[in-house]
Amino acid sequence: MLFPDLRTPLLWALGFGLAAALTTAGIERTRASAARAEASAARKELANLRATAAEVARLAERAARNTEQTWRSRVDGVIQDGQQQIARARDDADRAGAAERRVRAQLDAFRSSVRAAGAAPTTAGGGPPAEAALDLLTDLLGRSGAALRELGQFADAAHTAGITCERYADATNR
């Protein structure tokens, strides 16, 4: 036997190589399975995060809509109240105008009676005619009435607008 039998060590080497290859394949298969499990868990976690984010966004939108609805109802109330105040101010102005017209009518009637009395023959020792003073009073009353109406309308509008603005700001800051 010149040549030793090489089959046995070669078979052993092939056996060890095959065992090493199978072991390596098993390890890689286990690693791949673990990687797939990790990927699946990551996908599930990502899906849960997305669902949570969508729910948070939905709740935030609902809260914003509720806040907006609350503000809108408060603002509508403020607007209605402001409109009622304007209507009351107009009614007050109309009543004041009617009162002014009544005073002016009374003054005109008084002035007519003074003129009629001035046209009658005077008694001895009578005073100066009152017509000039009465005309001045009537003129002043007419001018002041118009100016006071304008001033009152401006004051009522400014007051109502200011109160409405403050209430609007209060309604949206709560």
Side-chain angles (χ1 to χ4, degrees), residues 6-161:
L6 292 175
R7 277 193 267 159
T8 306
L10 186 60
L11 285 177
W12 277 102
L14 284 175
F16 282 128
L18 183 60
L22 289 175
T23 302
T24 303
I27 291 172
E28 288 305 314
R29 189 173 191 178
T30 303
R31 282 185 185 170
S33 176
R36 279 192 297 274
E38 285 180 23
S40 176
R43 280 192 294 275
K44 285 180 185 177
E45 186 176 337
L46 179 61
N48 288 340
L49 286 173
R50 284 181 178 163
T52 301
E55 180 68 15
V56 166
R58 189 181 62 77
L59 291 174
E61 183 178 350
R62 180 187 296 165
R65 284 185 180 167
N66 287 343
T67 301
E68 182 181 345
Q69 185 68 26
T70 300
W71 286 357
R72 173 53 49 203
S73 65
R74 287 179 186 166
V75 166
D76 287 345
V78 167
I79 289 170
Q80 288 174 354
D81 187 47
Q83 289 172 342
Q84 289 172 354
Q85 286 182 352
I86 289 170
R88 282 192 300 269
R90 285 183 183 148
D91 290 343
D92 290 346
D94 289 343
R95 281 193 297 278
E100 178 197 0
R101 286 187 293 278
R102 284 191 303 271
V103 168
R104 188 174 290 174
Q106 289 173 353
L107 187 59
D108 286 342
F110 182 68
R111 189 169 70 182
S112 295
S113 67
V114 167
R115 283 195 178 142
T122 59
T123 58
E131 288 183 29
L134 211 51
D135 288 340
L136 178 64
L137 179 62
T138 304
D139 186 46
L140 286 175
L141 181 64
R143 288 183 192 177
S144 67
L148 288 175
R149 268 193 309 279
E150 276 187 47
L151 184 61
Q153 288 171 349
F154 173 77
D156 287 342
H159 178 71
T160 303

